[in-house]
């Protein structure tokens, strides 16, 4: 009996990777550990922008999912759009929550995200990446300027803040000065159900504006699927 136990301990020791530091009790190889940390600390992994990190996620998907389940997190891998991210598991039991929900979006950011989702879908149908220009985004938001808004500088500032907010979420990946590629994460952030709900809310808001109800860009509309991270999407090329 003791021989069997000794054999089991020997097998576990042989399977354990070389320690990475004194007293290392971890059981994962360095590459898997590094990938797990990237997935946990990033808002999402963009396979187009960081192919090396994306390939590591695919290579170690099973063990990453297992370790994340230990933390009540789910690993979502969208191979078609080359994005991966974690989301909080929704369980009936009262379990600790690791991810905080993002703050609701402003009206301008909501309008912009819906536009980017539509542009991304159009490009996906045509089999191409979608690149948009900063000026184009401002022009799109201009259509939502309230007729009573007599402060162009303030409105421009709200539009620039909306673009910056969307950039910070990783939806817009810079490709050159004033030009951005729309990341596939926009499809995961705005599911079909959310698109329908947000479109209905914006339509109602536009109708209210037409009847004199006005619009307030200080309002918040909707939220995203992923939680906040300590850092935004990180460079995984190393």
């Amino acid at each position: 009996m003791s021989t069997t136990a000794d054999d089991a301990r020997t097998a576990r020791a042989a399977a354990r990777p070389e320690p990475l530091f004194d007293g290392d009790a971890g059981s994962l190889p360095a590459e898997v550990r590094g990938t797990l940390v990237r997935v946990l600390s990033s808002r999402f992994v963009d396979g187009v922008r960081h192919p090396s990190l994306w390939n590591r996620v695919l290579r170690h998907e099973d063990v990453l999912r297992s370790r994340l389940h230990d933390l009540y997190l789910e690993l979502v891998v969208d191979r078609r759009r080359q994005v991966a991210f974690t989301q909080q598991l929704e369980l009936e039991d009262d379990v600790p929550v690791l991810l905080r929900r993002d703050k609701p979006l402003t009206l301008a950011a909501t309008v912009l995200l819906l536009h980017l989702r539509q542009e991304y879908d159009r490009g996906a149908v045509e089999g191409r990446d979608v690149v948009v220009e900063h000026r184009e985004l401002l022009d799109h938001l201009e259509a939502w300027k309230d007729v009573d808004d007599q402060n162009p500088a303030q409105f421009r500032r709200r539009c620039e803040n909306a673009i910056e907010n969307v950039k910070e979420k990783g939806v817009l990946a810079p490709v050159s000065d004033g030009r951005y590629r729309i990341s596939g994460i926009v499809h995961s952030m705005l599911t079909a159900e959310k698109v329908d709900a947000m479109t209905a809310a914006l339509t109602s808001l536009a109708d209210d504006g037409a009847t004199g109800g006005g619009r307030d860009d200080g309002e918040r509309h909707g939220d995203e699927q992923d939680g906040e991270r300590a850092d935004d999407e990180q460079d995984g090329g190393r």
Side-chain angles (χ1 to χ4, degrees), residues 168-209:
E168 288 172 354
K169 294 180 184 303
V171 175
L172 292 174
V175 294
S176 62
D177 188 26
R179 301 177 73 244
Y180 316 99
R181 176 182 59 82
I182 305 176
S183 169
I185 194 63
V186 72
H187 198 279
S188 299
M189 289 175 63
L190 296 188
T191 61
E193 293 79 8
K194 286 187 177 182
V195 168
D196 290 343
M198 293 165 76
T199 300
L202 291 177
T203 300
S204 175
L205 199 60
D207 292 342
D208 289 344

Side-chain angles (χ1 to χ4, degrees), residues 61-150:
E61 182 177 349
D62 290 342
V63 66
L64 292 174
R65 178 169 283 107
S66 174
R67 291 306 173 106
L68 289 169
H69 282 176
D70 288 339
L71 302 175
Y72 301 110
L73 298 177
E74 182 62 76
L75 175 65
V76 180
V77 179
D78 188 335
R79 285 174 167 76
R80 177 182 174 186
R81 300 175 182 87
Q82 297 188 55
V83 293
F85 57 93
T86 60
Q87 63 183 17
Q88 194 75 45
L89 284 168
E90 296 184 5
L91 305 175
E92 293 183 0
D93 297 334
D94 185 18
V95 299
V97 175
L98 183 62
L99 302 183
R100 299 166 295 172
R101 294 191 66 82
D102 281 346
K103 295 178 181 178
L105 298 167
T106 63
L107 170 59
T110 300
V111 169
L112 186 57
L113 273 177
L114 282 173
H115 172 65
L116 294 175
R117 166 65 194 267
Q118 292 167 354
E119 290 298 305
Y120 178 85
D121 287 348
R122 187 175 294 112
V125 170
E126 298 173 1
R128 60 179 177 82
D129 287 340
V130 179
V131 176
V132 293
E133 296 190 3
H134 195 91
R135 180 68 256 175
E136 172 192 338
L137 301 181
L138 291 174
D139 289 344
H140 181 77
L141 291 172
E142 182 73 23
W144 282 83
K145 183 178 180 180
D146 197 293
V147 293
D148 295 327
D149 192 339
Q150 300 299 318

